[in-house]
Amino acid sequence: PYTTLFRSSEPNGTKIIFEPDEHIFRNFHFIPEFIESQIWNYAYLNAGLNLYFNNQKFYSQHGLLDLLSRKTDADELCYPIIHLKNDDFEVAITHGNAYGEEYYSFVNGQYTPLGGTHLAAFKEGYVKTIREFYGKNFDTADIRSSIIAAISIRVQEPVFESQTKTKLGSLNIDPNGGQSVRGFVSDFLKANLDNFLHKHKETAEALQKRILKSERERKELADVKKLAKKRAKTAAVHNRKLRDCRFHLTNDAKEQRRFD
């Protein structure tokens, strides 16, 4: 009942039909929401390709930029989405107002929800590029707080850490050696993200403002935790069921000796 067609304007093409074998897939049923999510990912990774599923068209013109636009509310973003790409790497970055970090990562068209070496390389390279651009040693947590990003990389003969292909384990772009995933991603960000921020001053200022805000919030939270810890300790000392360990009774119950 569910058919996905890859259509082309060329006179000749290929029609793909999948029919599960009832002897292998017993009592099977399709979940449209899951299939649509997978098709959207494929559309984002193949900008300009028309996909049809149950007479519904799936199309992305701007790749990962469209993915973040669909996943976020424009009114909640601190600055317009940064979109950078070449033949082997694509990234879309922005910051929201929520806490935490949110990532969407892909390898050769495969969604990797558990990340892997490419996502770790992006996190490290992003922090390094931001510090060098602003010339300040911002805390890593402040730079990545509230970040929303999507990355896609092409790796020759990728190695995954499980059969489900949810986490990339490849250390190099080329299995025969060559540049490491870490170095490749870092060099891409250093050249392209740094250049983008120099050209777009308003975005650079908005990003710095968000980082400074995260820094203030982190320090304020640390002060609150410190004060709460101090008050909890004081309350415990003055608990009638407990005795301050700085005071010890001598043989004479009426005489006390203090140890500081």
Side-chain angles (χ1 to χ4, degrees):
Y2 299 103
T3 304
T4 301
L5 300 181
F6 297 83
R7 297 184 178 179
S8 171
S9 59
E10 298 296 326
N12 295 319
T14 301
K15 180 178 181 180
I16 301 175
I17 300 177
F18 172 68
E19 295 181 357
D21 189 322
E22 294 183 357
H23 296 288
I24 300 177
F25 301 96
R26 298 180 180 179
N27 301 319
F28 70 86
H29 69 283
F30 292 95
I31 303 177
E33 294 77 12
F34 176 79
I35 297 176
E36 290 175 3
S37 176
Q38 297 296 323
I39 296 177
W40 269 122
N41 286 341
Y42 197 83
Y44 296 136
L45 298 172
N46 297 273
L49 178 65
N50 292 321
L51 301 174
Y52 295 86
F53 174 68
N54 284 352
N55 297 319
Q56 179 182 350
K57 179 180 178 180
F58 296 81
Y59 173 81
S60 171
Q61 182 178 358
H62 305 291
L64 295 185
L65 173 62
D66 292 337
L67 185 154
L68 284 199
S69 298
R70 185 181 177 88
K71 297 287 186 179
T72 59
D73 185 349
D75 296 333
E76 297 295 326
L77 302 182
C78 299
Y79 55 87
I81 298 171
I82 300 172
H83 185 218
L84 309 167
K85 65 181 298 185
N86 62 16
D87 293 337
D88 298 312
F89 191 77
E90 181 180 4
V91 61
I93 311 168
T94 188
H95 276 74
N97 293 314
Y99 293 101
E101 305 172 30
E102 186 175 354
Y103 300 100
Y104 304 91
S105 63
F106 302 86
V107 177
N108 295 6
Q110 174 67 36
Y111 178 43
T112 50
L114 298 182
T117 53
H118 60 316
L119 182 56
F122 168 76
K123 292 180 180 180
E124 180 182 341
Y126 177 74
V127 169
K128 182 179 179 181
T129 301
I130 293 300
R131 285 175 175 170
E132 292 179 353
F133 176 79
Y134 293 108
K136 296 183 179 180
N137 190 29
F138 290 121
D139 189 279
T140 299
D142 299 330
I143 295 176
R144 299 206 312 243
S145 177
S146 304
I147 190 175
I148 308 172
I151 68 171
S152 174
I153 190 172
R154 295 183 184 277
V155 178
Q156 295 184 31
E157 300 180 21
V159 176
F160 296 94
E161 296 189 3
S162 66
Q163 292 184 345
T164 54
K165 299 182 179 181
T166 55
K167 186 175 183 180
L168 180 67
S170 298
L171 297 178
N172 298 315
I173 297 295
D174 185 338
N176 298 319
Q179 190 173 21
S180 66
V181 172
R182 178 184 180 187
F184 175 79
V185 175
S186 179
D187 290 346
F188 176 91
L189 293 174
K190 183 177 181 180
N192 294 276
L193 179 57
D194 182 86
N195 185 49
F196 180 93
L197 293 175
H198 274 100
K199 290 182 177 180
H200 300 80
K201 299 296 183 181
E202 292 184 358
T203 297
E205 292 174 0
L207 175 55
Q208 184 179 34
K209 184 178 179 180
R210 184 65 185 89
I211 294 174
L212 294 175
K213 180 181 178 181
S214 296
E215 184 179 54
R216 289 194 303 270
E217 292 175 346
R218 176 176 58 81
K219 291 181 177 180
E220 290 174 357
L221 181 60
D223 290 339
V224 171
K225 289 182 177 180
K226 183 177 180 180
L227 180 60
K229 185 177 180 179
K230 182 178 180 180
R231 288 180 175 177
K233 183 178 180 180
T234 302
V237 169
H238 289 83
N239 190 323
R240 294 182 179 181
K241 295 182 179 180
L242 301 175
R243 185 177 297 279
D244 192 340
C245 63
R246 292 176 299 174
F247 294 89
H248 295 271
L249 292 177
T250 62
N251 293 330
D252 186 348
K254 295 181 180 180
E255 181 183 353
Q256 291 184 339
R257 182 178 299 174
R258 174 167 181 162
F259 297 87
D260 291 321

